[in-house]
Amino acid sequence: MTTRKKRFGVSVPSGIADGLEEVKEISGSDRSFIVSKALEEYLHGELHEPLEHKCSGLIIVYGDLQGLKIDANYRGLVKGVCSIGLSSGVVTVLFVEGCFRDIQQLRRILGRRVKAYSGSRYIPLYCSLGEGRYGSR
């Protein structure tokens, strides 16, 4: 089965472009494949289902959440927390389950409150609606 492709231009910071070239050389893949896979992963985390649904997954934050009070509206989403101290700082992983919209809102709040280095990421593990519409998961 052939996937239809669409060409478009993007501008990225030179450091990202350099990293892309490095990954291209190491992996032997072409830039289009690498960018497509990176976008697929990003879209899966951000928009893995267009309809509201229940899901479970991981929120990863580069920052220490110890002592941070989570608003009562979102506290029930958090099923577990694990923080690891690395030489570059603390990485905190929250195991969450609930409505996707609430999980995304919690993720944004946490990213802003800890002034996380790279914001936060959500990795969905299970969704009640099944596969997302982006990519081949």
Side-chain angles (χ1 to χ4, degrees), residues 44 48 53-58 96-98 103 122-130:
H44 180 69
H48 64 275
H53 63 283
K54 183 176 180 179
C55 63
S56 56
L58 309 172
V96 295
E97 183 174 63
I103 290 172
Y122 177 62
I123 301 174
L125 299 175
Y126 171 80
C127 298
S128 61
L129 292 177

Side-chain angles (χ1 to χ4, degrees), residues 6-66:
K6 189 172 189 177
R7 179 179 291 273
F8 63 96
V10 295
S11 297
V12 297
S14 60
I16 291 175
D18 294 344
L20 176 61
E21 288 300 316
E22 189 175 336
V23 170
K24 176 183 165 232
E25 293 300 317
I26 291 169
S27 69
S29 299
D30 62 45
R31 280 188 300 262
S32 292
F33 176 81
I34 296 166
V35 170
S36 179
K37 284 297 178 189
L39 284 171
E40 180 182 320
E41 187 70 25
Y42 178 80
L43 290 173
H44 180 69
E46 293 293 319
L47 303 169
H48 64 275
E49 282 292 345
L51 303 173
E52 186 53 54
H53 63 283
K54 183 176 180 179
C55 63
S56 56
L58 309 172
I59 296 176
I60 302 171
V61 180
Y62 182 79
D64 192 356
L65 299 180
Q66 199 164 19

Side-chain angles (χ1 to χ4, degrees), residues 61-75 78 94 105-117 119-120:
V61 180
Y62 182 79
D64 192 356
L65 299 180
Q66 199 164 19
L68 182 69
K69 301 273 190 221
I70 296 176
D71 185 285
N73 295 331
Y74 302 105
R75 203 171 299 135
V78 180
L94 288 86
Q105 186 60 29
L106 173 61
R107 185 188 141 221
R108 288 181 188 101
I109 290 167
L110 293 173
R112 285 194 304 265
R113 287 200 185 152
V114 297
K115 297 178 177 59
Y117 170 70
S120 62

